[in-house]
Amino acid sequence: MSKEEFTNLPFHKKINTLYSEGTFVVGIRYYKHKVNLYLLENEYVEVFYNHKQDKIDKIDFLPRDHTRMKFYLDQIKLE
């Protein structure tokens, strides 16, 4: 599935696609969200969950050069 195809999916289908075809990588806290990072094919996708409102606010691709990538890398421990 291309980035454009995924972007054009309805919200509930994005969620289903991530859970069925994506791989969970790591989760972080980012301001008011818990953000889960998934790998979908060769692209990273973030899911912004607002726990106070108990809803997903946003699902979007994360460019590999984005500054937020540092927060994920800090959570990954390699031996």
Side-chain angles (χ1 to χ4, degrees):
M1 172 179 301
S2 72
K3 285 175 81 168
E4 184 177 330
E5 288 172 324
F6 183 82
T7 301
N8 292 329
L9 286 175
F11 200 74
H12 71 281
K13 290 205 178 200
K14 288 180 184 178
I15 295 167
N16 288 341
T17 301
L18 281 178
Y19 288 126
S20 63
E21 299 177 29
T23 302
F24 175 76
V25 178
V26 69
I28 62 169
R29 297 248 182 247
Y30 188 72
Y31 296 100
K32 64 181 180 182
H33 292 99
K34 179 171 191 307
V35 186
N36 289 331
L37 183 69
Y38 289 85
L39 186 61
L40 182 64
E41 295 184 11
N42 197 29
E43 298 289 341
Y44 288 111
V45 180
E46 293 178 301
V47 178
F48 289 79
Y49 174 71
N50 184 326
H51 65 280
K52 288 189 178 184
Q53 295 181 357
D54 192 26
K55 71 176 190 130
I56 295 173
D57 286 339
K58 181 170 88 166
I59 298 174
D60 204 2
F61 287 98
L62 175 67
R64 292 176 190 258
D65 60 349
H66 194 285
T67 56
R68 196 167 36 255
M69 188 63 86
K70 177 189 179 307
F71 294 106
Y72 295 111
L73 295 175
D74 288 347
Q75 298 302 314
I76 299 171
K77 304 286 187 243
L78 299 176
E79 296 184 25

